[in-house]
Amino acid sequence: MDSLQIAVFSLVVLALVVYRQMRTRPAAGRGLLVFGLILTGAGVYGGGLLEEIPSVLGVAVIAVEAVMAVAFGALRAWTVRVWREADGVAWARGTAWTLAAWVVSFAARLALFAAGGALGLTYRPAAALVFAGLTVAAQAVLVARRGRMLGEAVPAWVPASQPAGRDR
């Protein structure tokens, strides 16, 4: 893929991910985690992140970018509403704060890209996929963890034929 195709693909993927996060979905769903890992793998496989022989500055920028990706994923996970229904299933839905955190995350990524360019680094287009994959995977893991932390649902009633202490 050329640079323009990767940029368009990245924007379409970003729109799809944000759309899915703004809809009600199971909190424990592994779909976004798997999707994030696939994006990260595609970005790494797609030709590397920087020039052929990365400089110390290039490696530092990659490290900062990876930390930023995970941090923004954690921030967005914190903004997602997570609840457990009476049937025991944990659900999640993005909020307006989740959308705002996506905008800030995207702006920070562009700022880091511009700073790297100003310092003389040449990015490979696949680097955007790595950032997107890491941030989506981090958010998915943390939202699923929040769903698990809600604990087991307590039934509203216990049938008379079943003692209260027994599992169903």
Side-chain angles (χ1 to χ4, degrees), residues 13 17-18 22 27 48 57 67 111 168:
V13 166
V17 167
V18 172
M22 299 309 289
L57 178 61
V67 169
R168 290 199 214 188

Side-chain angles (χ1 to χ4, degrees), residues 6 18 38 42 58 60 80 85 112 116 119 122 128 141-142 151 156 163 166-167:
I6 290 176
V18 172
I38 288 171
V80 171
E85 291 286 334
L112 186 61
L119 294 171
T122 50
V141 166
L142 294 173
R166 292 185 48 186
D167 291 339

Side-chain angles (χ1 to χ4, degrees), residues 7-163:
V8 170
F9 176 72
S10 297
L11 289 175
V12 168
V13 166
L14 176 66
L16 175 67
V17 167
V18 172
Y19 171 77
R20 284 203 51 202
Q21 289 180 2
M22 299 309 289
R23 299 185 49 83
T24 301
R25 66 195 186 285
R30 299 198 188 278
L32 283 177
L33 172 61
V34 171
F35 189 65
L37 294 176
I38 288 171
L39 282 177
T40 303
V44 171
Y45 180 76
L49 302 175
L50 292 170
E51 60 271 2
E52 292 299 319
I53 303 173
S55 62
V56 172
L57 178 61
V59 172
V61 169
I62 290 171
V64 168
E65 190 167 348
V67 169
M68 274 180 45
V70 172
F72 278 116
L75 172 68
R76 285 190 317 274
W78 183 71
T79 67
V80 171
R81 180 174 176 254
V82 180
W83 71 96
R84 186 175 296 275
E85 291 286 334
D87 62 0
V89 177
W91 294 90
R93 182 181 184 133
T95 64
W97 288 110
T98 309
L99 192 57
W102 265 113
V103 170
V104 171
S105 173
F106 188 69
R109 170 67 174 97
L110 289 178
L112 186 61
F113 179 78
L119 294 171
L121 297 175
T122 50
Y123 283 92
R124 301 284 173 101
L129 295 177
V130 174
F131 180 85
L134 287 175
T135 198
V136 167
Q139 181 180 348
V141 166
L142 294 173
V143 168
R145 182 173 184 261
R146 285 182 57 206
R148 284 191 308 272
M149 288 175 60
L150 292 175
E152 292 294 318
V154 177
W157 59 276
V158 177
S161 62
Q162 213 175 24

